[in-house]
Amino acid sequence: MVNPPLEVRDLEYGYDEKDILDGVSFSLVPGEVLGILGPNGCGKTTLLRLLAGLEKPDSGEIRMEDAQGRAAAPRTAVVFQEHRLFPWMSVRRNVEVAVRHLPADERRAKVDAVLALTGLAHASESMPAALSGGMSQRVGLARALAAEPELLLLDEAFSSLDALTRRQLYDEFVRIHAARPVTTVLVTHDVTEAVLLSSRICRLENGVIARTYDNPAPYPRSLTTPGLGALSEEILRGFLEEEPLL
């Protein structure tokens, strides 16, 4: 499935006379991973809720165009910081929730495919209480992918994991995304995570995109990949020095 490009145009959102987002615009090409990076309170969560359709902007639009050029909101799926699995359901049944509307044969085929893709086929009958944190997040990712979204939203999806598990999940995400390259927005406060996973990074400050950084390094990546250490330092310096908005 080839996803259409995504356009975010002049998003504004606020409440109690406070601007949370103030004219945010960006575009994504199909299959791109865009990192939205910023500290707590900068508007990341609000932007994600708008992209997910959980909130409506005060102005601006989020649109994809279908094959006939008609604009529509993208089909989205979200992986949250907490895995949010149903504890009384097996791994398979948790993933099936995303495709429960489909006929049984089609539902089974989609679930089988995504369990194999995410390396969970052997654990399909396990219950969430028996899973590690990393396995639980993989189930959350499998559930999101089973629905074949046009836009995948990762909401601090790796931040609750220990450093080793988090790094393993980064490598797993790169592998999975290469096999199924859904357009993705990664919302994070972790510079290393953004640099290792994103092809572009938007630094969000006070509700506006202060700067966008290109990240053309090939996958898989590590902090020894040429250029990534320097990019990390450049992004951190931007936050510390409070660069003028570009």
Side-chain angles (χ1 to χ4, degrees):
M1 180 180 65
V2 177
N3 293 328
L6 173 75
E7 293 285 340
V8 175
R9 299 178 181 173
D10 299 319
L11 284 190
E12 298 196 5
Y13 182 88
Y15 61 86
D16 293 337
E17 300 183 354
K18 180 181 178 181
D19 292 332
I20 306 301
L21 296 177
D22 187 12
V24 170
S25 297
F26 56 84
S27 60
L28 287 91
V29 299
E32 182 177 8
V33 180
L34 178 70
I36 303 293
L37 180 66
N40 292 336
C42 72
K44 299 191 308 295
T45 298
T46 298
L47 176 58
L48 183 136
R49 290 181 62 83
L50 292 172
L51 291 171
L54 300 175
E55 301 280 355
K56 296 293 185 183
D58 296 331
S59 62
E61 63 176 343
I62 301 162
R63 57 181 279 166
M64 282 182 163
E65 291 187 356
D66 62 19
Q68 287 72 44
R70 296 171 299 196
R75 293 193 318 275
T76 62
V78 186
V79 181
F80 296 97
Q81 180 178 348
E82 307 84 14
H83 55 71
R84 301 192 181 186
L85 303 182
F86 298 108
W88 60 89
M89 292 183 176
S90 67
V91 167
R92 171 177 288 278
R93 290 188 62 208
N94 265 283
V95 175
E96 281 182 344
V97 167
V99 289
R100 59 191 181 278
H101 59 288
L102 297 177
D105 288 348
E106 186 178 355
R107 183 170 67 244
R108 186 179 305 108
K110 286 184 180 295
V111 172
D112 285 346
V114 80
L115 289 176
L117 175 67
T118 53
L120 291 167
H122 70 287
S124 63
E125 299 309 317
S126 298
M127 302 302 287
L131 304 178
S132 66
M135 288 277 282
S136 296
Q137 282 301 81
R138 271 200 279 166
V139 178
L141 179 58
R143 182 168 59 190
L145 292 174
E148 298 185 346
E150 295 171 316
L151 178 64
L152 176 65
L153 304 171
L154 303 180
D155 182 16
E156 305 277 8
F158 310 111
S159 64
S160 64
L161 304 172
D162 65 83
L164 178 58
T165 303
R166 190 161 60 242
R167 183 53 192 272
Q168 291 170 335
L169 261 291
Y170 293 166
D171 292 344
E172 278 293 287
F173 174 77
V174 168
R175 178 187 64 79
I176 292 165
H177 188 266
R180 189 176 291 194
V182 61
T183 306
T184 302
V185 173
L186 168 71
V187 172
T188 183
H189 63 270
D190 188 321
V191 172
T192 298
E193 182 174 299
V195 165
L196 289 178
L197 299 182
S198 308
S199 50
R200 280 188 302 142
I201 300 163
C202 292
R203 176 161 59 83
L204 192 63
E205 290 191 56
N206 300 316
V208 299
I209 294 177
R211 184 169 174 183
T212 299
Y213 305 83
D214 290 325
N215 187 10
Y219 296 100
R221 301 167 175 168
S222 73
L223 288 181
T224 63
T225 299
L228 292 195
L231 178 59
S232 298
E233 285 298 316
E234 183 181 1
I235 295 170
L236 285 168
R237 191 166 58 248
F239 283 116
L240 295 173
E241 295 176 355
E242 297 182 354
E243 294 177 357
L245 302 182
L246 300 182

